[in-house]
Amino acid sequence: MNELKLSKRLQTVAEYITKGAVVADIGSDHAYLPCYCVLNRLASAAIAGEITDGPFLSAKQQVEKLQLSSLISVRKGDGLEVIEKGEADVITIAGMGGSLIAHILKTGKDKLSGKERLVLQPNIHAHHIREWLYQEGYALINEEILEEDGKYYEVLVAEAGDRDAAYDGVSFAAGMLVGPFLVKEQNDVFIKKWSQELKHTENIYRQIEAAPPSEENRQKLLELSERIEILKEVLRR
Ligand code: SAM
């Protein structure tokens, strides 16, 4: 992967950049995504935010090497603190766990004008992001699921709007867990991911069931059986 050829995962994120947008890529690491978007004129300008020294320096070097410093600003800082409110039309946060992405959005809420599009790519636990989006009144406008190098990735696209529209016609709990667009689409990657997840959850259930009973285990079994029921229902659709 480089600034000319993105991974399938980041390519999918790039597809949701609105043409000519100013993009803020938070947790940019090597800055491949903002460089690709600017080089391909998907974005008119970009901000690459990084909290860690190594990736921050690598993003800076990458942008300088490509002579894109006038169009891409590389900034060091925690989450959305690197941007001004209203500065970006699209905010991308990719390649992290869903709870970290939700945490970045939550702590940086004062930097969101409500007009920007959010393109979020969690590696795991996307439900934390859906919960945050719903709570804050964002509408999910699309979702993708893909497989690359044996791993599953989801991409969530949201804008301020009708938060309930995406969940129309699906059970709310199932929509939150597996994604309202994805559950309606039911593509092969979705079926594969959630069938594996169902098996894994059933195995954990059996192990806890065989362990000495305790209040903690009883609670865990309850949660796992709810998850198993949701997944069975989802895969029956
Ligand atoms: N976004 C790139 C991608 O999808 O390939 C890089 C993903 S990399 C696994 C995650 C990056 O996010 C790391 O470089 C890490 O330093 C950065 N990061 C983690 N927490 C962050 C935060 N709160 N603010 C900014 N960057 C953060």
Side-chain angles (χ1 to χ4, degrees):
M1 178 173 62
N2 57 37
E3 71 284 355
L4 297 175
K5 176 100 183 76
L6 294 178
S7 61
K8 188 170 156 190
R9 174 180 66 79
L10 283 182
Q11 179 64 47
T12 309
V13 171
E15 278 160 23
Y16 287 96
I17 306 289
T18 40
K19 193 137 176 68
V22 173
V23 176
D25 184 40
I26 304 301
S28 198
D29 196 352
H30 30 63
Y32 288 156
L33 179 65
C35 289
Y36 174 90
C37 290
V38 167
L39 287 172
N40 289 284
R41 298 184 197 283
L42 298 175
S44 57
I47 297 139
E50 248 307 326
I51 196 171
T52 314
D53 282 335
F56 169 70
L57 285 178
S58 113
K60 250 183 127 46
Q61 283 164 2
Q62 176 72 3
V63 169
E64 281 162 15
K65 184 182 93 184
L66 296 168
Q67 301 186 324
L68 290 174
S69 302
S70 60
L71 293 175
I72 303 177
S73 166
V74 182
R75 302 177 190 173
K76 185 152 184 285
D78 187 353
L80 303 184
E81 78 174 17
V82 298
I83 56 169
E84 298 300 324
K85 192 173 184 168
E87 192 182 7
D89 307 305
V90 178
I91 296 175
T92 56
I93 315 179
M96 307 173 206
S99 59
L100 178 54
I101 294 178
H103 175 77
I104 288 174
L105 292 167
K106 188 171 164 192
T107 52
K109 203 178 131 185
D110 59 328
K111 293 296 180 73
L112 296 171
S113 69
K115 294 195 180 118
E116 51 280 278
R117 169 177 285 193
L118 305 177
V119 186
L120 311 165
Q121 185 276 296
N123 294 344
I124 52 167
H125 300 153
H127 63 276
H128 290 298
I129 301 177
R130 291 191 192 96
E131 281 159 13
W132 184 87
L133 291 170
Y134 190 82
Q135 193 184 307
E136 296 302 323
Y138 278 87
L140 262 179
I141 57 169
N142 212 349
E143 295 176 304
E144 301 247 7
I145 187 164
L146 62 121
E147 187 178 6
E148 187 169 45
D149 300 330
K151 292 189 185 127
Y152 302 109
Y153 300 108
E154 287 169 50
V155 177
L156 279 55
V157 189
E159 290 177 356
D162 178 359
R163 65 179 187 169
D164 289 307
Y167 295 90
D168 236 25
V170 295
S171 123
F172 187 68
M176 275 289 156
L177 181 63
V178 304
F181 287 90
L182 301 176
V183 72
K184 286 178 209 163
E185 185 191 355
Q186 296 260 337
N187 71 18
D188 292 349
V189 180
F190 176 91
I191 304 278
K192 206 168 147 193
K193 172 186 163 132
W194 290 108
S195 302
Q196 284 175 8
E197 185 64 32
L198 174 59
K199 260 195 201 147
H200 178 67
T201 312
E202 285 174 331
N203 278 342
I204 299 175
Y205 186 96
R206 279 193 287 273
Q207 282 167 22
I208 297 179
E209 206 180 24
S214 69
E215 183 47 33
E216 196 189 343
N217 282 349
R218 199 188 64 79
Q219 190 54 39
K220 271 191 200 150
L221 287 174
L222 211 62
E223 286 164 18
L224 289 170
S225 73
E226 276 171 20
R227 195 177 170 94
I228 288 168
E229 279 321 300
I230 292 175
L231 292 182
K232 281 185 174 167
E233 183 59 44
V234 156
L235 294 167
R236 256 200 303 270
R237 270 174 77 100

